[in-house]
Amino acid sequence: MIYNFPLASRLLLGTAGYSSPDLLEKAITASNTEIITVSLRREGKKGGEEFRNLLKQANKKVLPNTAGCYSVKEAVTTAHMAREVFGTNWIKLEVIGHADTLQPNPFSLVEAARILNQEGFEVFPYTTEDLVIAEKLVQVGCKVLMPWAAPIGSGQRIRNVEGLRAMRSYFSDIPLIVDAGIGAPSQAAKVMEMGFDAVLLNTAVSKAKDPIQMAQAFKLAIEAGHIAYKAGLMPKRDMAHASTPAYGLAKLI
């Protein structure tokens, strides 16, 4: 459950970077996602009306984002515009602090989240695995956290496994959606096996040789990872442990 929205699919899909609207539409269908993320900047470009029609036809929950914003004022203004355009209080909050890594600015992120929560938004903050920042975001009203696995669009997989494990353990009652850096279905499955609630993808699907098949692959990997987590993974051992007991074996005479 995310902001009172029940999740049947744990894959959130971005809509940027596809070579054609038709390919995007087919990838959305193949992923079986219920939530798609949309940049107001992307939606407002030439061809925006065609894109809006595609979103209506997809009949998915829209999560607008503040991609490309570098200040509190810019992010808050973009969020208000997105609420008017898409008719939703949901907002994926991005306040970038570093142009090369696209790492969020922790100070501006917390301040923008505070303002938007006070103004009735349901905020999905894009953050790092830093526990202090995460705690501040929760304190200002965020009920969901979106830590990165690695920089946006890098496909570097999970760069700080222990950091994400600690975040999952510390914020056990808060939905955590891994956002950014996942490049392969196996990496998404690992995230879900760690107990995260969902994965948000864009580049790994949109830039694949076959985005439709890749969307389906991620769908299956995320489902498998979540089922494995719920089933309970076997504990790791320092030594081998025979599955067949030593006693009761036949003896040679």
Side-chain angles (χ1 to χ4, degrees):
M1 186 78 70
I2 295 180
Y3 286 119
N4 297 318
F5 184 84
L7 282 180
S9 169
R10 295 176 182 272
L11 167 59
L12 286 67
L13 192 66
T15 56
Y18 289 85
S19 60
S20 71
D22 179 65
L23 197 59
L24 168 58
E25 185 176 9
K26 290 178 179 176
I28 291 173
T29 300
S31 72
N32 198 39
T33 184
E34 297 174 286
I35 302 171
I36 54 178
T37 64
V38 179
S39 168
L40 189 65
R41 296 166 187 263
R42 163 70 177 84
E43 191 273 343
K45 291 181 179 180
K46 184 179 179 181
E49 184 175 353
E50 180 183 2
F51 186 63
R52 282 193 296 271
N53 290 334
L54 187 155
L55 295 180
K56 290 179 182 178
Q57 293 172 6
N59 194 31
K60 304 296 182 182
K61 179 75 172 176
V62 173
L63 173 60
N65 66 48
T66 62
C69 292
Y70 281 79
S71 69
V72 173
K73 182 178 180 180
E74 190 179 13
V76 171
T77 300
T78 301
H80 278 276
M81 293 172 65
R83 181 156 66 178
E84 289 187 21
V85 171
F86 298 108
T88 179
N89 287 325
W90 279 20
I91 191 72
K92 181 193 169 192
L93 179 61
E94 297 182 27
V95 188
I96 302 302
H98 193 276
D100 291 332
T101 64
L102 299 182
Q103 180 172 334
N105 181 323
F107 311 104
S108 298
L109 177 66
V110 172
E111 177 61 13
R114 182 189 65 79
I115 293 170
L116 292 174
N117 276 300
Q118 288 179 348
E119 294 178 345
F121 285 87
E122 295 177 315
V123 181
F124 294 67
Y126 160 65
T127 184
T128 66
E129 69 279 14
D130 188 289
L131 296 181
V132 177
I133 300 170
E135 184 65 40
K136 295 294 184 183
L137 289 167
V138 172
Q139 288 174 0
V140 299
C142 296
K143 294 180 172 58
V144 173
L145 296 173
M146 301 185 75
W148 69 355
I152 294 172
S154 68
Q156 293 180 11
R157 66 184 182 274
I158 309 172
R159 295 205 307 184
N160 185 358
V161 174
E162 293 310 315
L164 283 181
R165 287 191 194 280
M167 194 173 195
R168 177 68 284 178
S169 177
Y170 190 81
F171 296 99
S172 59
D173 297 329
I174 294 177
L176 300 181
I177 302 171
V178 171
D179 174 22
I182 297 295
S186 57
Q187 298 163 19
K190 182 173 183 177
V191 163
M192 298 305 295
E193 288 172 359
M194 291 166 63
F196 283 83
D197 296 280
V199 175
L200 194 157
L201 302 163
N202 192 160
T203 308
V205 175
S206 67
K207 298 305 181 184
K209 183 177 180 180
D210 187 334
I212 300 169
Q213 283 194 330
M214 189 60 75
Q216 184 179 28
F218 271 108
K219 166 186 173 292
L220 296 173
I222 288 170
E223 288 177 356
H226 179 63
I227 293 171
Y229 172 73
K230 297 293 287 185
L233 299 173
M234 66 170 287
K236 291 183 180 180
R237 298 186 175 97
D238 293 331
M239 301 289 290
H241 184 80
S243 56
T244 302
Y247 59 86
L249 297 178
K251 294 184 179 180
L252 296 176
I253 299 176

